[in-house]
Amino acid sequence: AGYVFNLSAKHKLKPSTLIKFTTGAPLEFDLNCNLYFYEVFGIGVSWRSFDSMDAIMEYKINKNLKICYAYDYTLTNLGKYTSGSHEIMLNWQFGFKKGKFITPRYF
């Protein structure tokens, strides 16, 4: 769940959360917050319940292609053996025929 707040014509704030439940495992949740500039560049942070902290950067190359980078730092005992992990994501949004409503994609 999340929502995009218009802070100004140039800035948007997107807080969001993800709740995960699996039988036999504890309830987990992620808390995220991203700040977008001109709907092109974004920076953010994420916290995974008692597991990790993440730093996130996004860059929208064009209307279909976005590249993202995240650095994940573990908060568990695994941190004794690792200094974190890096993630690179390419996101391609297919162009579908537009109808009457145009909605920006933040999720």
Side-chain angles (χ1 to χ4, degrees), residues 20-87:
K20 300 176 277 188
F21 175 75
T22 302
T23 304
L27 179 69
E28 293 183 0
F29 56 94
D30 295 0
L31 299 175
N32 313 291
C33 191
N34 294 309
L35 179 62
Y36 291 93
F37 304 90
Y38 300 96
E39 295 189 34
V40 174
F41 180 72
I43 57 172
V45 293
S46 179
W47 179 72
R48 180 162 290 144
S49 55
F50 313 106
D51 182 54
S52 66
M53 292 286 299
D54 297 359
I56 306 162
M57 292 188 307
E58 302 178 19
Y59 181 71
K60 189 173 183 179
I61 296 169
N62 60 39
K63 68 178 185 172
N64 297 95
L65 182 61
K66 180 169 57 171
I67 187 167
C68 307
Y69 168 78
Y71 175 74
D72 181 82
Y73 181 75
T74 185
L75 301 173
T76 66
N77 288 332
L78 187 60
K80 297 176 187 175
Y81 309 101
T82 181
S83 60
S85 62
H86 303 271
E87 177 180 337

